[in-house]
């Protein structure tokens, strides 16, 4: 049944529209179905195949129309992502295919994963998690796999909380994640600036962000404009005590260590989104 899995992060879930708390509406006796309700904005989000579907239709439709390559709506966006799944390397570092096989890439990811070893268990948000292949690398953390497209075998497994949701509207409360990981998803986002602001919003003070993105993506697959290192620096330099950006093996690697309690622009908490998108 989905409820025990939901209960493990229920205090962290938030409405993707207003970030308010969500209340589970219990399913039928067989445990199938159910929904999540936001009392603040009266929205009801379905749970399908044990996976909460937290896609705010109006807001995402607007994002689709304003994207670099405008799309008619959510359906067209999801079909685009499904068509280009092979272009998004979503396997674990060290897998037999894709750039993850590069030893330098593996070492850089390992460096991030081992940073802060020994700290108490917390929550990691994997944005664009795909098949959740990276779950084994976070065995001591509560692992939340977020992706707008859920694989056919994507029901919640042991230690995995799946959310069908968009990076532009993360369905978590503010300041609940110890780590946010986004691997090879930035070029496929409808609104990268908003998505990055959402990733920062859900980070706790002291939290860590790690992104890597291919320097080049086929034009047919790309939704966002090319994002050079200076773009990430402009967006994030005031957010973290330490920011490191590098390019290697055709990838941009971005580490943000120790999120500041307040940014240098005087923003904190939910206001961070405005700071990043300005």
């Amino acid at each position: 049944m989905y409820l025990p899995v939901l209960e493990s992060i229920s205090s962290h879930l938030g409405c993707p529209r207003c970030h308010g708390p969500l209340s589970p509406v219990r399913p039928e006796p067989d445990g199938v179905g159910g929904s999540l309700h936001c009392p603040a904005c009266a929205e009801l989000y379905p749970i399908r195949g044990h996976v909460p579907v937290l896609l705010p239709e109006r807001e995402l439709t607007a994002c689709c129309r304003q994207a670099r390559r405008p799309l008619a709506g959510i359906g067209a966006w999801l079909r685009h992502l499904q068509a280009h799944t092979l272009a998004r390397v979503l396997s674990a570092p060290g897998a037999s295919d894709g750039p993850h096989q590069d030893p330098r890439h593996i070492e850089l990811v390992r460096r991030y994963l081992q940073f802060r070893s020994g700290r108490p268990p917390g929550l990691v948000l994997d944005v664009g998690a795909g098949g959740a292949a990276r779950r084994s690398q976070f065995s001591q953390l509560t692992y939340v796999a977020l992706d707008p497209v859920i694989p056919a075998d994507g029901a919640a497994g042991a230690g995995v909380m799946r959310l069908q949701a968009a990076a532009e509207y993360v369905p978590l409360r503010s300041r609940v994640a110890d780590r946010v990981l986004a691997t090879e998803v930035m070029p496929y986002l409808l609104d990268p600036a908003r998505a990055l602001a959402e990733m920062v919003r859900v980070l706790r003070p002291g939290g860590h962000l790690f992104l890597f993105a291919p320097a080049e993506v086929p034009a047919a697959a790309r939704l966002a404009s090319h994002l050079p290192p200076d773009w990430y620096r402009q967006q994030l330099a005031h957010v973290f005590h330490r920011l490191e950006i590098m390019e290697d093996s055709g990838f941009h690697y971005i580490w943000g260590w120790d999120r500041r309690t307040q940014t240098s622009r005087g923003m904190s908490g939910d206001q961070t989104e405005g700071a990043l998108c300005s």
Side-chain angles (χ1 to χ4, degrees):
M1 294 178 63
Y2 79 92
L3 284 174
V5 181
L6 265 183
E7 287 169 357
S8 67
I9 67 162
S10 60
S11 63
H12 301 320
L13 285 174
C15 175
R17 284 194 173 95
C18 70
H19 308 152
L22 293 173
S23 303
V25 179
R26 290 187 175 272
E28 299 300 322
D30 60 3
V32 177
S35 59
L36 294 170
H37 176 249
C38 175
C41 61
E43 287 295 331
L44 201 64
Y45 300 98
I47 297 174
R48 297 173 183 158
H50 308 289
V51 177
V53 181
L54 296 149
L55 296 168
E57 184 173 348
R58 292 190 302 273
E59 291 79 358
L60 283 174
T61 297
C63 282
C64 287
R65 293 171 178 169
Q66 296 169 8
R68 171 181 170 270
R69 295 179 57 227
L71 298 169
I74 294 180
W77 171 54
L78 294 177
R79 288 191 295 272
H80 175 90
L81 293 180
Q82 290 171 329
H84 295 283
T85 296
L86 293 179
R88 302 167 61 198
V89 182
L90 297 170
S91 56
S96 60
D97 59 341
H100 295 294
Q101 194 173 14
D102 189 303
R104 291 173 296 177
H105 177 96
I106 296 170
E107 180 57 34
L108 289 168
V109 175
R110 184 181 294 115
R111 174 183 169 188
Y112 168 77
L113 294 176
Q114 292 180 349
F115 197 76
R116 291 186 70 202
S117 61
R119 291 291 297 271
L123 184 148
V124 59
L125 172 65
D126 191 349
V127 178
R134 289 176 292 275
R135 196 280 168 270
S136 62
Q137 298 162 342
F138 298 97
S139 58
Q140 301 302 313
L141 300 171
T142 300
Y143 178 81
V144 178
L146 182 150
D147 203 294
V149 178
I150 301 297
D153 59 349
V160 177
M161 179 66 232
R162 284 195 174 278
L163 301 175
Q164 186 172 359
E168 291 85 354
Y169 292 91
V170 175
L172 294 177
R173 307 292 297 275
S174 298
R175 302 186 174 199
V176 297
D178 289 292
R179 299 183 184 179
V180 174
L181 175 69
T183 62
E184 302 184 57
V185 298
M186 297 301 287
Y188 306 93
L189 297 176
L190 296 168
D191 188 340
R194 181 179 179 86
L196 193 59
E198 281 287 273
M199 295 179 208
V200 171
R201 177 184 65 80
V202 302
L203 269 180
R204 300 181 189 274
H208 295 220
L209 172 72
F210 177 50
L211 309 120
F212 64 85
E216 295 184 7
V217 172
R222 180 181 289 278
L223 288 176
S225 300
H226 176 67
L227 304 174
D230 284 347
W231 183 87
Y232 292 101
R233 187 171 291 106
Q234 180 181 10
Q235 299 290 316
L236 296 173
H238 65 288
V239 176
F240 295 95
H241 285 290
R242 180 181 175 189
L243 180 69
E244 183 173 336
I245 300 174
M246 64 173 291
E247 184 172 351
D248 188 46
S249 304
F251 279 80
H252 294 142
Y253 297 84
I254 300 95
W255 290 270
W257 288 326
D258 290 330
R259 182 198 161 177
R260 300 175 187 271
T261 302
Q262 292 185 326
T263 72
S264 61
R265 301 184 193 181
M267 297 291 184
S268 62
D270 289 338
Q271 292 176 299
T272 304
E273 181 178 318
L276 285 175
C277 292
S278 61

